[in-house]
Amino acid sequence: MEKYWLTAVIILLLVIAFYAVSRKFRRANPWGKTPYERQEYFLSPAEKQFYDVLLELVGEEITICPKPSVREVLRVRDDVKRDRLKYFNWISQKHVDFVLCDRETMQILCAVELDDRTHERSDRRQRDAFLDKAFAKAGLPLFHIPCKQNYGAEELNPLYRFLCQDLLELSEEEEDAPRCPDCGVPMVVRTVSQGPRKGQQFYGCPNFPRCRRTRPLQ
Ligand SMILES: [Zn+2]
């Protein structure tokens, strides 16, 4: 009987020792395993197709950075003392599809999101609303472009006009256009196409139908 107990105690001690050693080893070498494989393509087919469209649109003076982390584009304001880490963590794991920069200075000009079906999911919608608000507050325009087979003037015009505002002859209304409070992008002049107010003009968010913000045109 005594022998049985002794064996049990020894086994128990061995188990504890093994556990302690393996734990110490794991701590000393936290990256012991590397279960990764390379991804073949950096962009999905839809992203690549849109990237080519963007390349044509932006010309030589602007460079396109695909999929940067939001933490490379926004930062927590210096005057925020409480919960800095929390606010940082909120953006550190997210990325945007494209960021456009001045090629010479790498100054950040705006961000572009390609909205595919996944953006209709409720978790994505929450993420989108958070990012829209964060970018708008930070004063960095965030354009949403619906994912399509072909991209025409309707989808690309607001972005094009924003990037080329110095080169284009903008009308007075376009120059005075307010920024959408939700997206931070300059609003565009639209015309009511039907109903009793048909023909009247107003400012609308270029991210319509995602964003339905409007402003009266004075
Ligand atoms: Zn908007």
Side-chain angles (χ1 to χ4, degrees):
M1 194 63 189
E2 219 172 83
K3 212 175 167 187
Y4 171 77
W5 275 109
L6 197 63
T7 316
V9 168
I10 288 172
I11 289 175
L12 187 68
L13 285 175
L14 278 174
V15 168
I16 292 172
F18 175 76
Y19 180 72
V21 168
S22 70
R23 216 180 120 125
K24 201 170 173 188
F25 179 75
R26 272 208 305 270
R27 262 205 215 138
N29 191 7
W31 296 290
K33 285 185 184 168
T34 52
Y36 310 112
E37 60 184 10
R38 59 183 281 176
Q39 305 223 39
E40 196 162 358
Y41 295 102
F42 187 62
L43 299 177
S44 71
E47 287 168 342
K48 169 70 169 76
Q49 193 204 1
F50 181 67
Y51 176 78
D52 290 340
V53 172
L54 264 185
L55 267 182
E56 287 271 315
L57 182 86
V58 301
E60 287 184 355
E61 282 164 24
I62 290 170
T63 198
I64 306 167
C65 310
K67 297 203 273 198
S69 163
V70 176
R71 64 197 260 189
E72 311 294 343
V73 187
L74 303 183
R75 59 195 195 91
V76 184
R77 288 195 332 256
D78 283 340
D79 61 300
V80 177
K81 302 292 181 224
R82 277 187 64 180
D83 296 331
R84 288 189 66 84
L85 190 63
K86 181 182 84 180
Y87 294 123
F88 174 76
N89 285 339
W90 282 359
I91 58 170
S92 71
Q93 304 266 344
K94 297 180 175 64
H95 75 267
V96 277
D97 289 332
F98 301 97
V99 163
L100 307 188
C101 297
D102 182 294
R103 174 160 294 185
E104 216 174 289
T105 63
M106 286 309 272
Q107 185 191 15
I108 300 168
L109 304 173
C110 67
V112 183
E113 284 268 269
L114 187 61
D115 285 358
D116 59 10
R117 286 264 167 75
T118 62
H119 288 257
E120 290 162 20
R121 289 195 330 237
S122 70
D123 60 319
R124 283 290 294 204
R125 258 192 242 158
Q126 257 187 344
R127 168 209 171 269
D128 286 354
F130 164 73
L131 280 190
D132 286 347
K133 198 170 147 192
F135 274 74
K137 281 269 179 133
L140 186 61
L142 174 57
F143 290 87
H144 286 268
I145 303 213
C147 186
K148 292 204 165 169
Q149 288 288 339
N150 294 294
Y151 298 92
E154 194 193 334
E155 294 87 32
L156 300 174
N157 236 344
L159 178 60
Y160 179 73
R161 297 190 83 80
F162 171 76
L163 294 172
C164 302
Q165 53 197 328
D166 300 338
L167 304 173
L168 297 171
E169 286 201 13
L170 299 180
S171 69
E172 213 171 284
E173 289 85 2
E174 283 178 317
E175 272 190 6
D176 295 341
R179 293 202 168 204
C180 171
D182 289 341
C183 313
V185 299
M187 295 179 112
V188 293
V189 180
R190 295 197 194 280
T191 310
V192 183
S193 61
Q194 52 193 337
R197 294 178 56 218
K198 187 175 173 178
Q200 280 182 24
Q201 290 193 308
F202 62 99
Y203 287 118
C205 179
N207 288 334
F208 181 86
R210 268 193 96 261
C211 173
R212 293 174 177 269
R213 286 274 192 173
T214 59
R215 283 273 180 284
L217 194 140
Q218 255 89 39

